[in-house]
């Protein structure tokens, strides 16, 4: 119960502070967030993390698949195959559906 009250108090304080800051401050924070997201270093770090996560998921699937045999549902197996193709299949710098390069 204490955590719910603390959470609600935080929401209320955030709302009051946000409404007092106004639209101009909101637009300023929105622009800062957009600039950060478009920063090449941030984009490269996010892309690298995505590739690493996909590679790890493929390895984990293979390790679990070896242990459980043919019990893995076909829908899951298809998704993991798709992830492997995205990681292993080189796009040669082509952009994916998110607008990031696959380099």
């Amino acid at each position: 119960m204490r955590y719910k009250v603390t959470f609600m108090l935080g929401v209320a304080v955030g709302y009051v502070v946000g409404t007092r800051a106004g639209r101009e401050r909101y637009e300023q924070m929105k622009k800062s967030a957009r600039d950060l997201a478009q920063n090449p270093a941030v984009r490269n770090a996010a892309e690298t993390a995505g590739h690493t996560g996909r590679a790890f998921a493929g390895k984990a699937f293979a390790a679990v698949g070896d242990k459980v045999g043919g019990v893995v549902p076909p829908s899951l197996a298809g998704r993991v195959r798709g992830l492997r193709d995205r990681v292993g299949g080189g796009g040669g710098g082509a952009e994916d559906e998110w607008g990031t390069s696959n380099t």
Side-chain angles (χ1 to χ4, degrees), residues 53-63 80 83-84:
R54 287 185 201 106
F56 181 75
K59 289 177 186 175
F61 176 77
V80 172
L83 289 174
R84 282 188 193 155

Side-chain angles (χ1 to χ4, degrees), residues 18-60:
T19 55
R20 287 197 179 154
R23 184 72 179 185
E24 294 164 6
R25 179 67 179 140
Y26 168 76
E27 292 295 335
Q28 185 182 20
M29 289 188 298
K30 185 175 162 184
K31 182 183 179 304
S32 296
R34 189 179 317 117
D35 290 345
L36 179 68
Q38 291 177 350
N39 184 334
V42 173
R43 291 180 67 136
N44 287 339
E47 189 174 318
T48 301
H51 285 291
T52 303
R54 287 185 201 106
F56 181 75
K59 289 177 186 175

Side-chain angles (χ1 to χ4, degrees), residues 1 7 24 27 36 50 53 57 69 72 82 92 101:
M1 183 68 180
F7 177 74
E24 294 164 6
E27 292 295 335
L36 179 68
V72 177
S101 65

